[in-house]
Amino acid sequence: HKKNHILYVIMTSISGDEVCCICLEKVDINNALYLECCNHNICSQPCYENYLVDYCPLCRHPFPTNNFDSLKLRRIGVEKGYIPCIYKLGCSYYIGDIVEKDYKKAFELMNKAAEQGCVYALNQVAQFYETGTGVEKNAKKAFEGYTKAAEQGLASAYCNLGKCYNYGTIMEKDKKKAFEFLTKAADLEDDHAQYLLGLFYHTGDGCVEKDIKKAISLYERSVKQGNSYSQYLLGRCYFDGDGVEKDVKKAIQLLEKSAEEGHFQAQNLL
């Protein structure tokens, strides 16, 4: 492990690539995991499954087992300047999971991480500018942030651009561009993009012909990732026999999962 650690430092300092500190393969930007204790990347499979037990495989620091330890580790990382920790602490202030919600602090931390090259923070900061969360609304900065993150291959940034064009939130509606960006995101397995693209095919909305089979396929891929919107729509398809053979039992299972995630239409239907 020590030899791998030294090689990892050399590789990243020369190439700038994000590589797994265990297998030294390049980490998928849309499926990256970070070791907050020592500021390293690790690929989700097989290294995460094979090496992570109760402690870090590199520095041997025990993984936190409660919110207090998680917050302590994250703040130590912030003091050391670990970019993922800065980003994740910002996420915590945004979500309010291990600290009290504070959108202004969330923006400040994520903006700091974005300025240091964190693509996830860049995408989130753009969303803050779009919605006016923790900062004054700024459509131009939102669009620029999404675009820069998408150029680095981040699926959720492609999805956000697709949503902006679809709903006309920060630019004029353009169904064709929305479809293009959502397709890119869906191909990168973004579950929300798969749900929205499924709706395009389900309704024949805008620039694409109605294709219920494609819609069902996209809903199914999205459902595998736990998307409650797709669970609801796929459940409705099975309930109504829309594009699939009617199966009330399967419909109820999907609707119950969606309802458990807080989808109000699924809750009302049940």
Side-chain angles (χ1 to χ4, degrees):
H1 290 317
K2 185 176 181 181
K3 188 181 293 184
N4 283 355
H5 179 208
I6 295 170
L7 183 57
Y8 166 81
V9 173
I10 294 172
M11 288 180 69
T12 52
S13 63
I14 293 173
S15 67
D17 289 339
E18 292 187 346
V19 297
C20 174
C21 59
I22 302 296
C23 67
L24 303 179
E25 294 292 330
K26 189 171 181 179
V27 175
D28 179 4
I29 194 173
N30 295 298
N31 200 21
L33 298 167
Y34 292 97
L35 303 175
E36 293 182 84
C37 47
C38 54
N39 195 31
H40 291 99
N41 304 307
I42 187 169
C43 56
S44 61
Q45 293 179 345
C47 294
Y48 177 80
E49 294 179 350
N50 292 343
Y51 288 93
L52 298 195
V53 189
D54 298 320
Y55 51 84
C56 174
L58 289 178
C59 70
R60 300 298 182 183
H61 190 287
F63 288 130
T65 57
N66 54 63
N67 288 346
F68 177 80
D69 288 342
S70 295
L71 181 60
K72 182 180 178 181
L73 183 63
R74 201 158 291 180
R75 282 180 166 158
I76 290 173
V78 170
E79 290 175 1
K80 292 181 177 180
Y82 293 171
I83 298 173
C85 290
I86 296 171
Y87 165 67
K88 287 188 176 183
L89 185 58
C91 289
S92 292
Y93 276 112
Y94 176 63
I95 299 168
D97 53 357
I98 59 177
V99 291
E100 188 176 343
K101 279 187 180 182
D102 188 325
Y103 292 144
K104 187 175 180 181
K105 280 187 179 179
F107 172 80
E108 289 173 354
L109 286 163
M110 290 197 192
N111 192 49
K112 183 177 181 180
E115 288 174 347
Q116 296 182 65
C118 179
V119 65
Y120 313 106
L122 180 62
N123 182 59
Q124 188 61 57
V125 166
Q127 193 170 43
F128 286 166
Y129 277 121
E130 180 189 353
T131 59
T133 303
V135 67
E136 188 176 343
K137 282 187 179 183
N138 190 316
K140 182 180 178 181
K141 287 186 177 181
F143 181 76
E144 288 175 351
Y146 287 145
T147 302
K148 288 179 181 177
E151 286 172 350
Q152 295 181 56
L154 189 65
S156 55
Y158 280 123
C159 182
N160 284 332
L161 283 171
K163 288 192 293 182
C164 289
Y165 278 113
N166 189 40
Y167 301 124
T169 52
I170 59 176
M171 72 277 287
E172 288 186 16
K173 284 186 181 182
D174 189 326
K175 293 290 184 179
K176 186 177 180 180
K177 284 187 177 180
F179 179 79
E180 291 173 358
F181 281 117
L182 290 173
T183 298
K184 288 181 179 180
D187 288 344
L188 292 168
E189 299 304 323
D190 185 276
D191 62 290
H192 198 72
Q194 289 165 347
Y195 150 69
L196 291 172
L197 200 59
L199 272 179
F200 268 64
Y201 283 111
H202 200 161
T203 62
D205 184 18
C207 62
V208 62
E209 291 185 8
K210 186 173 181 177
D211 189 331
I212 188 64
K213 287 185 178 180
K214 282 188 178 180
I216 295 295
S217 176
L218 285 158
Y219 292 153
E220 287 174 341
R221 287 164 62 191
S222 180
V223 163
K224 286 180 181 179
Q225 300 184 68
N227 187 283
S228 62
Y229 298 97
S230 290
Q231 288 168 344
Y232 168 73
L233 290 176
L234 189 58
R236 286 298 306 264
C237 288
Y238 277 107
F239 189 81
D240 299 328
D242 183 12
V244 291
E245 186 176 346
K246 189 179 178 74
D247 188 330
V248 175
K249 184 178 180 180
K250 184 175 276 190
I252 292 174
Q253 289 175 342
L254 286 162
L255 292 170
E256 285 179 341
K257 287 181 180 179
S258 180
E260 288 173 2
E261 293 296 321
H263 196 288
F264 75 94
Q265 287 175 295
Q267 293 170 344
N268 292 337
L269 191 60
L270 291 169

